[in-house]
Amino acid sequence: MSGKEGSGGFRKRKHDNFSHGQRREEKENVNPSSALMTSFKSFQLELDTRHDKYERLVKLSRDITIESKRTIFLLHRFTSAPNGEEILNESEVKLDAVRRKIKQVAQELIGEDMYQFHRAISPGLQEYVEAVSFQYFIRTRSLISVEEINKQLIFTAEDREETTNMTSNSHDKQPHTWSLKVTPVDYLLGVADLTGELMRLCISSVGNGDIDTPFELSQFLRQIYDGFTFIGNTGPYEVSKKLYTLKQSLAKVENACYTLKVRGSEIPKHMLADVFSTKTELIDQEEGLS
Amino acid sequence: MGELVASGFNCVTAPAEKSLFTKPCSLSSIECCTVSFSVPKKCQKAREHFGTVRTQLESLKTKFPADQYYRFHEHWRFVLQRLVFLAAFVVYLESETLVTREAVAEILGIEADRERGFHLDIEDYLSGVLTLASELARLAVNSVTAGDYSRPLRISTFINELDSGFRLLNLKNDSLRKRYDGLKYDVKKIEEVVYDLSIRGLNKEATVGAGGEK
């Protein structure tokens, strides 16, 4: 009996003294202007600034990805048709727009450590490498170098003047040109993606009755594949992951060349397109799965 | 090349980590004798170990270009967070205050802001402070076992302030956020200890000095 009363008292005391009384008191004890709180307020500011910048870069990276993808789709419409030159010019205009976005990225990164925000912009840069190298391949039938890409990403003072006039910053404090460098890993991953596009180009060019391009492409892809195998597992993890997909693309192109060689002599030219159009669907399905 | 540099780092950080793993032993023995007068002595000894850490961080600085800190950040993040925790623990035991970022940087012999080279990233600092919180929750429990009834009350005030501080931050959904989500359990644990003490009247004698009136 007394024990029961005691436990009842217990519970009451817990309720009154602790859950409400003491807790409230302690919360009020926290002095909003203490040294700890002021330093945390400055941490808040610092973290918010950093996260805002990161978000802005992610947005830019998304825009770069989208525009680069559109450029790639545009370039896929390129066949040795009469309007080929037109499409190339149009793609150049699009890429210029992408580069303007990249310029904004470079501006965000002035005075920052690029690797700190690398994860925000890496997908966009890879897609850009893919688009630029695809265009370069169509033009010159060779692989663009990382230096060549970086050369186009140097923004000069006269571009900058308009922006500085707007923000009215001091002119001579910052360097006259500033640039964004595509990291070797971004370049490699972009090139690995390029091979997927080249595989598609190969299949569709057969569809258009172009018989030389597939052989050229299989040569080119084999060279890239050899290059990647030289790196092998000494590269970063993502690169070795792409190597598998690259091998599949190469196999598809090689099979296409094989079919062309064997059946090309038997099937009349106007029917070749039909043979490959079924093949293309097959490959697209496989791609969707992977 | 990246791998080469990375393995270089591992060689450098391994001894640092070794001294890390010996240090928690000397620190956790503090918990066993919280009432004992040997706390300042142990802190002194721990500070001596930080001398080794300083020389090793000094040699780490020479292993990569100064402007590529974030390129290799992942390689030393974990160790640095642990070092922040240890420095914060020492300072807490000495003065019962939260170590400032500048003070940690000084203890470790590195810079506080990015402009001047090898520095302490703010997220790493905050992670280390969160580790301190869970260690203090343990310390609260163990000091009661050792008969020191006043320490949990002081820890409680400290943790509550820390909690309010962290609540000012807008964290992103990253690892720091995950660590912060654990803080409320530490707060709860310490509050339970304080509750256990107060319902048994064990805090009465203690709070005479600590400023409570119940």
Side-chain angles (χ1 to χ4, degrees):
Chain A
M1 179 100 179
S2 62
K4 244 182 200 171
E5 252 179 29
S7 76
F10 241 50
R11 213 171 290 146
K12 203 177 170 194
R13 216 168 346 150
K14 166 192 174 184
H15 199 73
D16 288 344
N17 288 352
F18 185 70
S19 291
H20 286 289
Q22 190 167 350
R23 246 198 110 142
R24 278 291 120 75
E25 234 170 74
E26 264 172 5
K27 288 281 123 80
E28 280 162 19
N29 275 350
V30 174
N31 179 4
S33 59
S34 67
L36 190 145
M37 292 304 270
T38 23
S39 59
F40 267 85
K41 267 173 204 146
S42 74
F43 296 157
Q44 179 193 46
L45 194 71
E46 192 176 339
L47 279 174
D48 283 353
T49 324
R50 181 187 288 193
H51 293 159
D52 287 349
K53 187 175 277 266
Y54 191 90
E55 285 311 315
R56 282 199 299 278
L57 285 170
V58 168
K59 269 182 202 153
L60 283 171
S61 166
R62 292 285 305 160
D63 289 346
I64 292 169
T65 308
I66 292 166
E67 272 309 303
S68 303
K69 272 213 161 74
R70 283 186 188 149
T71 314
I72 290 167
F73 275 112
L74 176 76
L75 286 168
H76 269 302
R77 271 171 247 145
F78 175 89
T79 45
S80 33
N83 66 342
E85 205 49 45
E86 234 171 80
I87 285 186
L88 271 183
N89 288 338
E90 204 181 326
S91 73
E92 193 55 45
V93 173
K94 271 184 182 292
L95 283 179
D96 272 333
V98 176
R99 275 192 281 272
R100 269 199 295 282
K101 290 272 179 208
I102 295 179
K103 192 175 121 186
Q104 279 174 276
V105 171
Q107 272 167 336
E108 287 278 3
L109 290 176
I110 289 175
E112 297 282 349
D113 186 339
M114 189 233 180
Y115 285 98
Q116 185 176 3
F117 299 98
H118 186 235
R119 277 200 348 186
I121 52 171
S122 176
L125 284 184
Q126 284 174 32
E127 206 67 31
Y128 171 73
V129 169
E130 187 181 343
V132 151
S133 56
F134 192 37
Q135 191 208 37
Y136 191 86
F137 175 81
I138 288 174
R139 270 213 181 123
T140 68
R141 303 272 148 172
S142 60
L143 183 65
I144 195 167
S145 68
V146 68
E147 291 85 11
E148 189 73 26
I149 292 177
N150 283 335
K151 219 182 278 170
Q152 292 178 324
L153 297 181
I154 296 171
F155 307 103
T156 52
E158 60 173 344
D159 287 332
R160 205 170 60 85
E161 228 124 45
E162 347 166 340
T163 53
T164 40
N165 282 344
M166 272 193 284
T167 52
S168 69
N169 271 341
S170 56
H171 269 235
D172 33 32
K173 237 179 110 178
Q174 286 161 338
H176 269 275
T177 58
W178 79 109
S179 62
L180 191 82
K181 281 208 171 57
V182 172
T183 65
V185 174
D186 283 338
Y187 173 72
L188 281 179
L189 293 176
V191 168
D193 289 337
L194 168 73
T195 57
E197 300 305 327
L198 292 180
M199 183 266 293
R200 272 177 213 209
L201 182 73
C202 164
I203 305 301
S204 66
S205 66
V206 177
N208 292 323
D210 181 355
I211 307 196
D212 299 328
T213 310
F215 293 99
E216 223 174 294
L217 277 168
S218 83
Q219 277 289 328
F220 185 65
L221 280 184
R222 207 167 298 140
Q223 279 175 9
I224 293 183
Y225 179 72
D226 284 347
F228 271 102
T229 42
F230 280 137
I231 300 172
N233 53 12
T234 56
Y237 168 69
E238 297 100 313
V239 171
S240 28
K241 221 168 55 179
K242 296 258 172 171
L243 197 57
Y244 178 71
T245 331
L246 176 50
K247 199 170 182 180
Q248 280 184 322
S249 298
L250 179 62
K252 278 170 198 165
V253 173
E254 282 175 344
N255 280 335
C257 288
Y258 166 82
T259 320
L260 270 179
K261 259 282 190 281
V262 178
R263 321 244 311 256
S265 49
E266 296 166 10
I267 303 176
K269 260 203 177 137
H270 65 274
M271 283 177 68
L272 265 177
D274 295 336
V275 173
F276 277 95
S277 62
T278 52
K279 212 175 172 65
T280 326
E281 275 165 31
L282 244 169
I283 286 163
D284 277 345
Q285 273 172 6
E286 276 172 40
E287 272 229 312
L289 281 173
S290 63
Chain B
M1 176 212 157
E3 287 299 313
L4 219 83
V5 177
S7 63
F9 285 143
N10 287 340
C11 298
V12 176
T13 48
E17 240 172 312
K18 217 180 193 173
S19 72
L20 272 182
F21 283 123
T22 58
K23 217 171 300 139
C25 304
S26 68
L27 281 178
S28 57
S29 54
I30 295 168
E31 294 150 27
C32 307
C33 40
T34 39
V35 273
S36 140
F37 55 90
S38 67
V39 172
K41 222 161 119 193
K42 304 247 163 175
C43 288
Q44 191 52 45
K45 191 140 191 227
R47 276 188 183 269
E48 279 163 29
H49 282 294
F50 274 112
T52 326
V53 170
R54 269 197 293 276
T55 50
Q56 272 159 349
L57 282 175
E58 206 59 52
S59 81
L60 174 65
K61 283 178 207 170
T62 63
K63 298 286 186 269
F64 69 100
D67 58 343
Q68 299 195 359
Y69 178 89
Y70 284 101
R71 181 169 179 187
F72 305 107
H73 191 191
E74 293 298 320
H75 294 296
W76 57 73
R77 253 197 130 142
F78 182 76
V79 180
L80 212 55
Q81 288 175 6
R82 187 122 186 106
L83 285 168
V84 170
F85 152 61
L86 292 171
F89 197 21
V90 168
V91 169
Y92 179 80
L93 290 173
E94 283 170 351
S95 64
E96 309 221 332
T97 54
L98 179 69
V99 68
T100 61
R101 203 166 141 208
E102 291 75 21
V104 182
E106 207 188 312
I107 291 172
L108 301 180
I110 56 181
E111 301 295 338
D113 61 19
R114 199 175 73 78
E115 313 295 287
R116 283 182 295 176
F118 197 97
H119 64 284
L120 177 60
D121 188 83
I122 182 169
E123 291 183 23
D124 292 340
Y125 166 75
L126 292 173
S127 278
V129 170
L130 286 172
T131 316
L132 173 70
S134 40
E135 196 62 29
L136 288 183
R138 252 189 80 206
L139 180 62
V141 171
N142 287 330
S143 48
V144 172
T145 318
D148 181 355
Y149 298 142
S150 64
R151 193 181 274 279
L153 300 181
R154 298 199 304 273
I155 290 180
S156 169
T157 327
F158 178 76
I159 289 280
N160 270 321
E161 197 174 4
L162 202 63
D163 187 43
S164 324
F166 269 100
R167 235 174 290 157
L168 286 178
L169 306 179
N170 308 308
L171 295 176
K172 281 214 318 183
N173 211 1
D174 56 6
S175 65
L176 183 61
R177 167 70 194 274
K178 257 185 220 139
R179 304 282 296 276
Y180 164 69
D181 286 342
L183 180 62
K184 58 174 179 277
Y185 298 108
D186 301 328
V187 173
K188 186 164 167 265
K189 183 80 213 163
I190 294 167
E191 277 183 359
E192 273 168 13
V193 172
V194 172
Y195 163 65
D196 280 337
L197 290 178
S198 56
I199 57 165
R200 289 173 180 81
L202 285 174
N203 61 337
K204 285 224 175 83
E205 56 210 285
T207 46
V208 175
E213 74 281 358
K214 279 194 297 297

